[in-house]
Amino acid sequence: MLIARALQRFIAIFTVAFLPWLGHAAVLPVPALTAHVIDQTATLSAQDTASLEAQLKQLEQDTGAQVVALMVPTTAPEDIAAYANRVASTWKIGRKDIGDGLLIIVAKNDRRMRIEVAKTLEGAIPDLRAARIIDEAMKPAFQAGNYGAGLSAAVGQISALVKGEALPAPTRQSQQRQGASAAQSMDLGELLIFFFVVVMIGGGFLRALLGRGFGSLVTGGVAGVVAAMLTASLLIGVGAGVVALFM
């Protein structure tokens, strides 16, 4: 099981990290799921982030449903629908046996927003209702430059709709999903397998293609970036890059 999971991650990593060197456009990587609010644009203030995090944690404790907000600069070269679907498929938000997750994505530079709803919540938040939340709660605040207020208003409306749905009561496990989500980062065994597959095999391929010096530099850079992304640790990423550079 450990090897299978690591090989699945390697396929995704190879698609994102190695194909650009072969002349293909890279898609935006899916970040690690480390919190209910992930802002990759540095737009939200610490207070905004903490307030939204508190709202979403409370909703999860009250209902069991998990809502996550993600802000990215752009989803290019994909449109926001394709990227949202890929993020939702990767994160698998919500309780596995219930399907009560919801993803809010904001592509700030694209001026695009999307609410991706899991199957169980589609009755409470159909496409038309999700569009109204975007148009009435998010867009006006975003246009005024107040992204925190827009997201908070959207979360408020979403919370009211979710609480009106007859969902199974939350369990202790669902209330602790925050820690479980953070555990999606690679453990030590997966990281070792990643290094064997990517650095030894992928690195050898890149050295043969680009030459030993430049190929080693590229291998180290890719290994560092991907390790940091998957473990959510800059220190591990730097260490992985240095190790890969000299392997």
Side-chain angles (χ1 to χ4, degrees):
M1 179 66 72
L2 180 64
I3 295 176
R5 283 195 299 161
L7 288 177
Q8 287 175 351
R9 293 193 184 211
F10 167 70
I11 293 171
I13 292 164
F14 186 91
T15 302
V16 172
F18 282 85
L19 286 184
W21 293 97
L22 303 178
H24 295 271
V27 293
L28 183 68
V30 175
L33 178 55
T34 55
H36 290 85
V37 182
I38 300 173
D39 178 14
Q40 297 199 315
T41 66
T43 298
L44 299 175
S45 67
Q47 183 177 359
D48 287 337
T49 301
S51 177
L52 287 166
E53 189 73 31
Q55 280 184 274
L56 295 175
K57 281 184 178 179
Q58 189 62 54
L59 175 64
E60 187 170 350
Q61 290 172 3
D62 291 344
T63 67
Q66 186 182 34
V67 176
V68 177
L70 170 63
M71 288 189 67
V72 294
T74 178
T75 63
E78 294 177 295
D79 62 23
I80 195 168
Y83 181 68
N85 182 263
R86 192 157 55 85
V87 172
S89 297
T90 302
W91 284 354
K92 295 178 172 58
I93 301 169
R95 290 174 287 182
K96 182 179 179 180
D97 54 337
I98 298 173
D100 54 354
L102 184 146
L103 174 65
I104 305 170
I105 287 193
V106 178
K108 183 178 179 181
N109 296 345
D110 299 339
R111 298 183 179 180
R112 299 282 292 172
M113 294 145 276
R114 185 171 178 85
I115 297 175
E116 194 80 8
V117 183
K119 186 175 181 179
T120 300
L121 295 180
E122 288 177 348
I125 310 174
D127 290 343
L128 288 177
R129 192 67 184 89
R132 282 183 57 193
I133 293 173
I134 290 173
D135 290 339
E136 296 174 4
M138 298 171 71
K139 279 185 179 180
F142 288 4
Q143 288 169 353
N146 198 337
Y147 287 83
L151 285 170
S152 181
V155 169
Q157 292 190 25
I158 289 168
S159 296
L161 294 169
V162 170
K163 289 178 180 179
E165 191 74 0
L167 295 174
T171 63
R172 184 177 182 83
Q173 181 180 4
S174 68
Q175 291 174 344
Q176 295 174 344
R177 187 176 297 275
Q178 173 74 20
S181 298
Q184 286 188 340
S185 298
M186 278 188 170
D187 60 25
L188 180 59
E190 287 181 297
L191 193 59
L192 290 174
I193 295 172
F194 159 74
F195 258 87
F196 174 78
V197 176
V198 174
V199 177
M200 301 300 292
I201 299 177
F205 170 76
L206 285 175
R207 290 184 184 96
L209 181 68
L210 304 173
R212 182 170 183 80
F214 187 55
S216 296
L217 185 63
V218 172
T219 301
V222 170
V225 170
V226 174
M229 180 177 69
L230 292 177
T231 62
S233 170
L234 180 61
L235 183 61
I236 291 176
V238 172
V242 171
V243 171
L245 181 63
F246 294 102
M247 288 184 68

